[in-house]
Amino acid sequence: MLGAKIAVARAAGALSRSSGRGATSLPGKLLMRMEPRAIERLARRLPQGSAVISATNGKTTTAAMVAAILERSGTRLVHNRAGANMAGGVASVLLAAARGDGIDGDAGLFEVDEFWLDRVVAQLRPRALLLANLFRDQLDRYGELETIADRWAATVAAAPDATLVLNADDPLVADLGRQRPPRQVVYFGLEDDGLALSQMAHASDSKHCRRCGAPYVYDAIHMGHLGRYHCPNGDSRRPRPDVQATGVELDGTRGARFALHVGAQHAVVALPLPGLYNVYNALGAAALASALGAPLGQIVEGLQATQAAFGRAETVSLGGRELAILLVKNPAGANEVLRTLALDDGDHDVLAVLNDNTADGRDISWVWDVDFELVARRVRRVTCSGTRAAELALRLKYAGVAPERLHVEPALERGLDAALADGAGRLVALPTYTAMLALRELLVARGAARGSFR
Amino acid sequence: MAEAGRATLRVCALYPDLMNIYADRGNLLMLERRCEWRSIGFEVSAAGLGEGVEPDAHDLFYLGGGQDRDQRLCALDLVETKRDALHAAAGRGALVLGVCGGYQLLGHRYALGDEEIPGLGLVDLETIRSDGARLIGNVAIEVDLDGDGRRRVLAGFENHAGHTHLGPAERPLGRVLKGHGNTGSSGLEGVRRGSVIGTYLHGPLLPKNAWFADWLIAAALGLDALDALDDRFEDAAHAEARRAAGV
């Protein structure tokens, strides 16, 4: 019976692809409609079980890192690497891997949308669950941060057999491990105050103890509300991380180096991805891979071989210029991207693209919480594009960018061409989610980037 | 006009750390820059939990939106430590702008099922949490702030579960052109009683409506008019927000 339903869903997917639509979740959605337990029934076939990754920021990159690590030992993964991360996307990759009564893969690796986590985890019953961070994001779609945290707490309680891999530095996330026996929780965190911020960003969240409501006391702030904290009433404090990074050196938008400690062992990692946020992604990936049994050497090799996930610090060559694409989709993520950009010398040429489609969040209020002031005096020209280009330009003007350096061109292709035509050297693109997809489509059409959906 | 060079806009930001869920700081930034560009002084002081406010020391009090738990904390604190001062300030004509959750707290109460959050009682309204779908989306309203029949548009975004009901003598801020407004069905949006203004157009509404930022500056300082600025970007952002709302 499942076989017949899979055949129907596959045929629909093939039809949709041939009509030129890149929808990766459509066959899975269709299958779920015919067989609501499809994820459970297919995932059961994976001999080594599944691992799940969720977070506000870094899901796709972290999953790419874990894949690079696990695949080095020959593990064949069923992995939603294109980033379709709701139930339909997870079902789609599972059904693509289904073979008769079996499945073409050893283990499942799934990034899952933070709002879909409960439903997908209930079916996948993962061996390990990596929860990396919670930042304010798309309040019109997800609701308040506390609401997501409550849902996650319920998800964790309903998955008592899963090993939890948690970010010790995010109080909202670390708190989820409180009820678990210690051997079932792996914490990761940064043990390096050299990069600590002098003050919290405006958009910081979850600054209050989830137990008693008192504001946390921070001994160090690393990014957003991530750092070393404790509750003044002693109700909670940052757990000591099992997997740690020390001696972090950031090399602008090119990469980062740090010492990775796993238990009593440690090794230096030269990460080809930039910024402290990618160090956090690497720590989460290392902790998850370690929980799944990967040795340190393999973890280091995998991290060093990780390629940028599409649209995340991906660099292509176009019109004689280097184009670096850095996805921005919420204040915390955008602030880290800007902080990383500010490390590079010189004045930047920027193509900033703000869309307000459903997948971006219809509400663009968040751009006023992004600290564009970090780079306001470090830009030569900013081309603003997208459905809400004008408000983005206004935000930059009020951040201190001189108006004559600002250009508004809502249509993306015209914006891209205008940005490419003025200047030389590197152009940095800062697109929101649907803008990133549209930008990549343009790049693929021009032969500058590979498609990601095949 | 001659006084503008010597005037200073003194803003009191109420709970800027807690009541800022939708980037409310964009409003303060807007006021600050538009004063600065006109050589009008600008001062902002924060009043957090447990801190009293001086009713005569500020021309404009700003109260934004917060997460439910933070709104609850601030509501209790407002009533305990700031109510009398805010009544005194509003009584002498200082502007009080409540946005989203801050708007709800201007009224008598916010009822959430069994629970009730107290309000400042600056205006005659109450808010009741609805079990139905949240009222979310782009919104545009038509306002006549000076009562002279000159209608202007405020555009923004709303996201609220509370339905706000105005008392019989209370006037709304404006009429809904597109979107939900106070209840999703009354056609009314916000509240306006003299210098007290509340609205569900949340977070950075002033960047989308620079003209309203200027109206607030002028009203707070008692000026008839302000120097014109180069508002190309501001006008484009306003037009874009109106298009997003469909007007």
Side-chain angles (χ1 to χ4, degrees):
Chain A
M1 253 329 268
L2 186 58
K5 289 169 183 168
I6 286 174
V8 171
R10 274 186 183 150
L15 203 63
S16 142
R17 272 195 300 279
S18 68
S19 70
R21 306 289 303 165
T24 47
S25 59
L26 184 112
K29 274 188 200 160
L30 201 62
L31 180 63
M32 295 289 283
R33 209 168 300 152
M34 295 183 286
E35 172 50 67
R37 307 300 297 178
I39 290 177
E40 180 178 354
R41 294 184 61 183
L42 291 171
R44 243 183 351 222
R45 300 177 179 179
L46 291 161
Q48 297 176 25
S50 296
V52 165
I53 297 170
S54 196
T56 307
N57 288 329
K59 290 182 286 289
T60 305
T61 299
T62 304
M65 290 171 170
V66 175
I69 296 166
L70 298 181
E71 284 169 350
R72 293 194 89 72
S73 61
T75 305
R76 294 170 311 140
L77 293 173
V78 176
H79 172 198
N80 56 340
R81 68 184 74 231
N85 60 16
M86 302 183 200
V90 172
S92 285
V93 290
L94 281 165
L95 89 87
R99 301 281 182 276
D101 291 336
I103 195 159
D104 183 19
D106 303 316
L109 175 63
F110 302 102
E111 68 157 282
V112 178
D113 180 275
E114 47 274 42
F115 206 67
W116 282 81
L117 188 68
D118 48 358
R119 284 157 282 179
V120 176
V121 162
Q123 293 210 29
L124 279 176
R125 302 196 200 154
R127 281 175 63 197
L129 178 55
L130 163 56
L131 300 173
N133 55 63
L134 272 179
F135 295 107
R136 121 179 36 173
D137 185 22
Q138 298 187 24
L139 295 153
D140 55 325
R141 191 154 77 93
Y142 292 118
E144 297 182 351
L145 203 58
E146 296 277 343
T147 314
I148 299 260
D150 291 344
R151 289 175 73 111
W152 277 20
T155 303
V156 162
D161 299 328
T163 297
L164 298 181
V165 181
L166 303 175
N167 189 340
D169 296 349
D170 185 332
L172 218 47
V173 169
D175 192 64
L176 296 167
R178 183 174 305 275
Q179 311 285 346
R180 275 290 212 280
R183 59 182 167 75
Q184 259 197 309
V185 187
V186 179
Y187 288 106
F188 62 94
L190 193 60
E191 288 289 315
D192 182 341
D193 293 348
L195 296 157
L197 303 169
S198 55
Q199 57 176 23
M200 216 169 240
H202 296 281
S204 297
D205 299 296
S206 69
K207 292 169 286 200
H208 295 80
C209 176
R210 221 168 130 68
R211 308 268 136 187
C212 70
Y216 286 118
V217 177
Y218 275 83
D219 303 311
I221 299 165
H222 297 138
M223 55 185 255
H225 61 273
L226 272 50
R228 217 169 54 252
Y229 55 88
H230 65 269
C231 162
N233 299 329
D235 283 326
S236 59
R237 63 167 49 244
R238 170 185 181 255
R240 186 181 156 72
D242 309 289
V243 176
Q244 308 177 350
T246 61
V248 177
E249 294 169 32
L250 299 179
D251 182 19
T253 51
R254 287 167 291 276
R257 288 172 70 85
F258 62 95
L260 174 64
H261 302 253
V262 179
Q265 294 182 293
H266 69 275
V268 171
V269 176
L271 193 67
L273 299 175
L276 194 59
Y277 58 105
N278 275 316
V279 174
Y280 265 111
N281 291 338
L283 272 175
L288 176 58
S290 170
L292 295 172
L296 180 62
Q298 185 185 334
I299 291 172
V300 173
E301 285 173 17
L303 291 176
Q304 297 190 150
T306 301
Q307 309 225 324
F310 70 95
R312 281 89 169 173
E314 185 182 20
T315 298
V316 302
S317 171
L318 184 67
R321 301 187 67 175
E322 182 191 331
L323 176 66
I325 309 173
L326 296 157
L327 173 69
V328 294
K329 49 179 192 171
N330 50 43
N335 282 346
E336 291 313 307
V337 164
L338 295 174
R339 200 171 147 197
T340 305
L341 205 54
L343 296 172
D344 282 350
D345 294 333
D347 286 349
H348 301 288
D349 281 359
V350 176
L351 170 64
V353 196
L354 176 61
N355 279 354
D356 65 352
N357 298 317
T358 305
D360 304 294
R362 301 281 299 158
D363 186 1
I364 58 163
S365 298
W366 62 275
V367 302
W368 293 87
D369 255 342
V370 177
D371 294 325
F372 285 107
E373 285 80 0
L374 287 168
V375 295
R377 314 249 172 228
R378 298 281 313 283
V379 292
R380 191 190 67 86
R381 173 193 164 109
V382 186
T383 310
C384 295
S385 195
T387 53
R388 302 304 294 269
E391 187 155 331
L392 181 57
L394 190 69
R395 172 69 189 101
L396 289 162
K397 176 182 170 183
Y398 281 75
V401 178
E404 61 272 17
R405 294 173 185 240
L406 287 167
H407 302 265
V408 179
E409 186 51 78
L412 179 59
E413 184 153 23
R414 294 175 58 167
L416 174 64
D417 286 332
L420 286 171
D422 181 354
R426 189 176 67 168
L427 173 63
V428 178
L430 305 175
T432 56
Y433 186 71
T434 68
M436 182 271 285
L437 296 182
L439 178 60
R440 284 202 90 262
E441 247 172 61
L442 283 174
L443 299 180
V444 170
R446 295 182 184 192
R450 278 185 299 119
S452 26
F453 293 126
R454 298 293 184 274
Chain B
M1 281 308 301
E3 295 83 4
R6 286 190 295 277
T8 291
L9 180 67
R10 302 166 303 164
V11 175
C12 177
L14 296 160
Y15 317 104
D17 293 337
L18 294 172
M19 299 295 273
N20 68 344
I21 187 170
Y22 297 111
D24 291 88
R25 75 181 178 112
N27 291 325
L28 301 179
L29 179 63
M30 200 75 186
L31 294 170
E32 178 175 357
R33 292 278 182 275
R34 296 183 74 76
C35 283
E36 179 189 315
W37 292 332
R38 295 178 168 115
S39 303
I40 296 173
F42 181 86
E43 292 169 10
V44 62
S45 27
L49 293 174
E51 293 168 358
V53 292
E54 176 54 55
D56 299 327
H58 311 284
D59 309 302
L60 193 165
F61 293 82
Y62 181 83
L63 181 57
Q67 296 206 64
D68 285 350
R69 190 178 64 184
D70 295 333
Q71 186 183 4
R72 204 170 287 136
L73 276 175
C74 293
L76 296 172
D77 186 77
L78 270 176
V79 170
E80 272 176 28
T81 66
K82 301 178 179 67
R83 173 157 54 191
D84 294 347
L86 288 170
H87 275 266
R92 66 164 183 86
L95 288 179
V96 179
L97 177 59
V99 170
C100 194
Y103 164 38
Q104 295 168 338
L105 298 184
L106 299 180
H108 299 299
R109 65 186 69 85
Y110 181 15
L112 305 100
D114 301 337
E115 190 193 359
E116 193 169 292
I117 294 178
L120 285 165
L122 282 169
V123 278
D124 179 23
L125 62 82
E126 62 176 12
T127 303
I128 297 166
R129 166 159 287 196
S130 152
D131 294 331
R134 292 180 73 87
L135 304 179
I136 302 178
N138 287 292
V139 53
I141 66 173
E142 187 177 65
V143 300
D144 172 13
L145 292 177
D146 299 312
D148 58 4
R150 194 161 78 107
R151 297 199 174 90
R152 305 192 69 165
V153 171
L154 286 173
F157 201 92
E158 63 185 323
N159 182 350
H160 50 107
H163 290 195
T164 296
H165 304 274
L166 306 183
E170 216 59 90
R171 310 286 304 163
L173 173 62
R175 188 172 68 81
V176 176
L177 298 174
K178 281 283 164 67
H180 302 291
N182 283 344
T183 66
S185 59
S186 67
L188 308 179
E189 206 293 313
V191 71
R192 166 85 190 282
R193 183 198 285 182
S195 63
V196 179
I197 296 173
T199 179
Y200 274 123
L201 273 61
H202 74 201
L205 82 150
L206 299 185
K208 293 177 176 64
N209 304 282
W211 72 265
F212 185 47
D214 286 355
W215 186 90
L216 291 170
I217 295 169
L221 296 176
L223 301 171
D224 291 334
L226 300 175
D227 294 335
L229 298 172
D230 177 351
D231 276 342
R232 272 173 305 158
F233 290 103
E234 286 80 355
D235 292 344
H238 179 65
E240 188 181 82
R242 288 177 68 151
R243 271 199 305 280
V247 300

